[in-house]
Amino acid sequence: MTVQDRLIRIEKSLSLSGWISPGDVRFLLDAVADLRENLSPSQLLLPSASSTQSPGTFDIPAAFWSGSLESGNPDSKPWRVNQSVERIYQALDSGEFRLYFQPKVNMRLGKVVGLEALIRWEHPEFGLIPPLSFLPQIEESSLIIDIGEWVLDNALSQINRWQKMGQMIPVSINLSVNHLTHRAFLIRLKDALSRYPDLPPNLIDIEIVESVAIGDLKAMSQLMVECQEMGVTFSIDDFGTGYSSLRYLKRLPSNTLKIDQSFVLGLLHDSGDMELIKAVIALAQVFNRSVIAEGVESPEAGVVLMWLGCDLAQGFCISKALPGDAVFDWIKRYQPDPSWALWSGVKFDLSDVPLLLAQYDHSIWVTRIVDRIQHSRSGLFEDDMGDQDVCRFGRWYVEDGMNKYGNFDGFSELGKLHHEMHVIADEAILSLSTGQWDEAMVYGERLVALKDVLFSRLANILGTIRLAHA
């Protein structure tokens, strides 16, 4: 298809759908009138002779493909994916895009509460491609609107299929700022919803990133109100990474705040991230918003989030994103992590959070040592692993732990076990440094056994706390 044919097609499509008036892009037709008939838009962007990378391509490291969602078996050589606007148009026309859905759950109740729709490009050569490898290329073009319309319609179609199977579940979709602020957006949204009259509009939730939401605060606020009047809800994604303030939050009538995954990933290791999460949760409570954490990758992170007051979560610990036809069966089989069920009926005391973090830290510490012994991998540093008073568990034990739990049965034994574990860890490290691998393995086994005893004693303390707060 020639450039001129492409533009005529776009103009016709947009004018018929109400996005533009006839003639709005006529000047573009004039601009390309002299182009050769076989010249494509990507050829207009050919690099200079000194360039080493063709425009419209993006080097994707092999590690980017290592997630369970991506197909293929890439080696260490970077993949090169053609990202030209023309090629992405072709992908849309050819039906190469797919919607995947990542579950959201209420950890306390053990129930699935929603899904986030995530677009993927099923590339005929490279397999399943994540959105960051192609959406940035079209962010400023009208194609981003076409793709947004595709996402909305396919999400509604999938919800309709689930409804017929007896499953009513909300789905969040991500739309670009250019799409949301287009003058015909509300008209097209009403039209899309009207095609599924049996579906409650509140099954659609629109996610917008915080920085976009406050770009034109008045316009975005009005848009959100008008969508909410239809029944559609709004979530502010990546909350806390932009320009959060009480004024912005008050004026943006969102239904949900999503805690950015960068904070969640650092929750168990960085006290600053924990304080940020606590602040977001507090803001959500003050302004009567729901709050959900994204990027939950361990059961321990889920427990801490529950203790902090955030019961809703999504992340790899719960499930990867799934094809639409796999979601229904996954929901039927879903079981919450046992540790979440254990604490589901407990009124938490935030002063007990350091105990859980210290336990998690010590588990990671043991895992790293055993991993070093078994695989001789790097990453174990004696300056922060060899001193029992330097590790977080050691600091917790002699400070907060002793002050709060010193009178608990068996607490004094924790200190003895902790000391013995560090002695054995030092011996394991020494054995490794002198090449005595069999001896190091024996020390590793002893270390794991002592960890089990230590955690059994901690479980008794946690059980006493749980009963006290039940």
Side-chain angles (χ1 to χ4, degrees), residues 84-108:
S84 71
V85 175
E86 179 72 13
R87 178 63 184 90
I88 300 173
Y89 263 120
Q90 180 186 341
L92 182 60
D93 291 343
S94 302
E96 295 176 9
F97 291 121
R98 303 286 181 267
L99 269 192
Y100 276 60
F101 300 86
Q102 186 172 42
K104 305 176 184 180
V105 302
N106 185 312
M107 296 180 288
R108 187 182 298 272

Side-chain angles (χ1 to χ4, degrees), residues 362 388-399 418 422:
H362 215 54
Q388 61 181 322
D389 296 321
V390 171
C391 78
R392 180 150 63 170
F393 187 94
R395 292 197 305 269
W396 168 82
Y397 181 80
V398 299
E399 297 171 1
H418 179 239
H422 274 270

Side-chain angles (χ1 to χ4, degrees), residues 362-409:
H362 215 54
S363 178
I364 296 299
W365 177 77
V366 172
T367 299
R368 292 178 67 190
I369 293 177
V370 172
D371 186 66
R372 172 81 178 272
I373 294 171
Q374 292 179 340
H375 305 289
S376 300
R377 293 175 180 169
S378 61
L380 184 62
F381 303 99
E382 294 185 30
D383 59 344
D384 64 357
M385 288 296 186
D387 187 342
Q388 61 181 322
D389 296 321
V390 171
C391 78
R392 180 150 63 170
F393 187 94
R395 292 197 305 269
W396 168 82
Y397 181 80
V398 299
E399 297 171 1
D400 293 342
M402 186 66 71
N403 292 334
K404 187 166 185 181
Y405 312 108
N407 295 328
F408 278 51
D409 290 339

